Amino acid sequence: MLVATGLTDELPDIDGLAEHWGRGVIHCPFCHGFEIRDQRVVQVVTHPMGLHPAPVLAHLTDQLTVVLHGGVEVDEDALGALARAGVSVERAEVSRVVSGEGGELAAVVLGDGRELAADVVVVGPRFRARVDALSGLGLSATAHVSGAGEVLEVDPRGQTAAPGVFAAGNVTDPMLQVLTAAAQGSQVAVAIAFSLAEEDLRAPERRGGNEADWDRRYADEDHTWSGNPNGTLVAELDGMTPGRALDVGAGEGADALWLAEHGWQVSAGDQCALGRSGALVYGKVPTGRASMSGAVPSFRAAPSDGA
Ligand SMILES: Cc1cc2nc3c(=O)[nH]c(=O)nc-3n(C[C@H](O)[C@H](O)[C@H](O)COP(=O)(O)OP(=O)(O)OC[C@H]3O[C@@H](n4cnc5c(N)ncnc54)[C@H](O)[C@@H]3O)c2cc1C
């Protein structure tokens, strides 16, 4: 399974901000840089990593204001370099974002009432990998190294902690864009193809799920069944002239034992090794009357008369 559920951008809780998300409010200078060049850009920094895109924004416009919202602490050295390069810096709360008459973003209002005219607001959302649907598989998101959110952790082949579950794209890394997310998807698809081919190659060596389930069931208790024959079997066959019987899926062998004791020549088979050893525990099958097999006997020809 390939998980490619992306992420949710959690925006800072600032009045009026969310309405402009993806147009007047953006997060990525590489996605929107061309459109915002030379405009009045207000960058609202809400977490320590939030200052990160500022140098690129300063490349795009001479009208950049950085607002350190809510007393957030950032790299003062980086901030100083921005200020010396002509970037305005405000240490203030942002109380709301206001729209113009046409609905376009118009300004950022600070806690002290001042209004910063703006064409664009840049924010750093928290990135939340969309993993809720995977909780049943024991998968959950963990912190991304950037500190900017949470991701679903994968190894270099895209394999998650759950065997057979792979992931690609923003769910694993918030820094990926369209091309890199798609490229990772392609890479992980190769890993999945190898994984499936390897699994098929080894299928003959692997025990079937059904077989393993039965072994587990037999392993839990000394005897899984009562040791009595099946009531329907007894009702149907009691009094019938014995012949040859084939017991497919004989389990612990109680039916085979009853048949043998009543004169039938029994071939009993079960794929489950523990079921067979359980059958041996009964050990009372009259000599020569029954054969137990580790596999269900296959018919290559029609059984002979009387079988
Ligand atoms: C405003 C904005 C602008 C951007 N502009 C650009 C740009 O110009 N250039 C660029 O390269 N990148 C841009 N990006 C980034 C780009 O959108 C992402 O990097 C890219 O879409 C990631 O692809 P993805 O397939 O990993 O995830 P997504 O594209 O997010 O796709 C995930 C899909 O999974 C679905 N999904 C989620 N949960 C479930 C579920 N439980 N079951 C089924 N389906 C589910 C979602 O509905 C969604 O369709 C922008 C991002 C934003 C937010």
Side-chain angles (χ1 to χ4, degrees), residues 4-6 9 21-22 27 31-32 130 133 168-170 176-179 181:
T5 45
D9 296 285
W21 174 237
H27 69 313
C31 301
H32 305 269
R130 291 198 195 102
N170 275 166
L176 299 178
Q177 293 184 280
V178 168
L179 289 180

Side-chain angles (χ1 to χ4, degrees), residues 103-221:
E104 77 287 358
L105 188 144
V108 169
V109 180
L110 301 181
D112 59 14
R114 280 182 299 142
E115 245 184 61
L116 305 177
D119 302 305
V120 175
V121 169
V122 178
V123 292
R126 303 292 301 175
F127 303 118
R128 296 265 174 249
R130 291 198 195 102
V131 293
D132 289 354
L134 305 174
S135 59
L137 298 171
L139 293 174
S140 57
T142 52
H144 186 248
V145 282
S146 67
E150 294 177 343
V151 292
L152 180 59
E153 210 172 300
V154 289
D155 73 8
R157 299 183 331 137
Q159 167 78 61
T160 68
V165 181
F166 292 74
N170 275 166
V171 71
T172 69
D173 183 352
M175 302 307 154
L176 299 178
Q177 293 184 280
V178 168
L179 289 180
T180 41
Q184 196 195 25
S186 169
Q187 259 183 332
V188 174
V190 170
I192 291 175
F194 269 99
S195 154
L196 291 173
E198 181 77 8
E199 201 174 307
D200 277 354
L201 198 68
R202 296 189 180 279
E205 300 165 19
R206 212 175 46 237
R207 301 172 62 245
N210 202 23
E211 191 180 348
D213 280 352
W214 279 107
D215 267 359
R216 206 171 302 124
R217 195 184 298 194
Y218 282 124
D220 281 349
E221 303 157 53

